[in-house]
Amino acid sequence: MILGIDTSCYTTSVALVSAEGKLLSQQRQILPVQKGNRGLSQSEALFYHIKQLPSLYGALLAEAQAVGYLAASIKLVCVSDRPRPQADSYMPVFLGGRSFAQVIAETLHVPLHLTTHQEGHILAGVWSSGISVEKPFLAVHLSGGTTEILLIHWTKEGLVIEKVGGSSDIAAGQMVDRVGVALGMAFPAGKELDTFAWENREPEGLLQNFSYEKGYFSLSGPESDLQRKIVQGVAPGIISNTVWRTISRALAKSLKELATVYQCDQVLLAGGVAGSRNLRMRLPQLLPNLQLFFCDGAYSGDNSVGVALAGKYFILDKLSNS
C-alpha cells in the first residue's frame, strides 16, 4: 500500500492506495471554524491537524484491515509538504502532515516521498476523470485559496507545471466563502452556497463585469459589489447564482484564449470549488469546443488520494528496480 497525507488550510486527510492504483481507504475531516468567521490562522489550523491526524490514521488502518490489508503492507509514505511545486512555496499547516508522515515512515522503515498539495489535486483529477496525459493539457486548480490555470506536461519523472492564467487577486473560493458567510452560511461556505444556488436556479444571476488580461481575471470587484447588494437586500437566490455565473464566465473567457494559445483541447478541473454542481452545469455550455474533465466529486476537495497516487505514478517503479 501507499499512504498519502495532506494537511491543507481546510482539511486533514489521509488515504491508502494499492500499488495498482485502487483506493483502499480514505479519511478526512474539515477543520472547525466558528460560525461567522472566515477561516483560521495558520497556527490554529496546524493545532487541529496535529489533533486530528492520529484518530484519522487509526480509522484508516481499521478500514484497510477490514479488507485484508495490515499496516505492514505500507511500503511508501507520501505527503504534501507545501502548497505548490515551487521553491518559495510554503505554509506552516503542511508541517503537521510532514512530521506525522516522517514518524510513520521511520517506524515502518519505508521511504518517504514529498510532493505538493497542488500536484495532489491534479493527480486525483487525472486518476478519477479519464483525461489523457499523452499530450499537454490545461488544468484549473480551484480551491479555497487558489484559482490557477496551469499548463501540464506529464513525464516519467513527474508533472511539469506552468502557471498560465487564473485570478489576479482573490481566489474563486475566497469569493464563495466571503459571500456565503455574509449570507449567514458557515465557513467554508462552498457546499452550502452551491446547494442553495442549485435549489434556487430560477434567477440566472446578475451579469457582472470583471477585469481581464491575457488569461488572468479579477474577482475582487464582483465580490465587493455582491457584498453591497447583500446589504441592499437583493435576494439570496440571485446573489448565490451570480457568484457561480461570474466564476464560470471568468474561467470560460480565460480557457478559450489559453486553449488557443497553447493548442490544448483538454481541460481538467480539480480542487474543492471544482466540485460545484453549478460550475459543472455552466462551464460545458460556455465551452462547447473544449473537452472538460472534472475530478470526481468525491476527490475534488482537499484530500490525500492524489498525494498517495504521486507515489504510484512516479516513485513505485523506481523503488521496485532499486
Side-chain angles (χ1 to χ4, degrees), residues 2 76 78 113 115 119 122-123 126 133 152-160 306-319:
I2 305 167
L76 174 64
C78 298
H113 174 61
T115 185
E119 289 169 291
I122 295 168
L123 292 173
V126 169
V133 298
I152 308 294
H153 294 262
W154 184 288
T155 75
K156 292 181 179 180
E157 300 301 316
L159 301 177
V160 177
V307 171
L309 288 167
K312 168 186 163 45
Y313 289 132
F314 306 125
I315 305 300
L316 212 56
D317 286 344
K318 297 176 185 177
L319 292 176

Side-chain angles (χ1 to χ4, degrees), residues 10 14 35 87 96 98 101 106 108 110 121 138 152 163 178 184 193 226 238 240 244 254 262 276 279 302 310:
Y10 295 91
V14 292
K35 189 168 183 179
R98 177 168 178 168
E106 291 179 357
L108 296 175
V110 300
H121 273 308
L138 294 173
I152 308 294
K163 182 182 175 182
R178 292 175 183 181
L193 189 72
L226 284 176
I238 295 176
S240 59
W244 299 113
S254 293
Y262 295 102
S276 162
L279 285 183
D302 293 3

Side-chain angles (χ1 to χ4, degrees), residues 45-59:
L46 180 58
F47 167 78
Y48 284 120
H49 284 313
I50 293 171
K51 183 179 180 181
Q52 293 176 174
L53 273 168
S55 59
L56 289 176
Y57 181 61

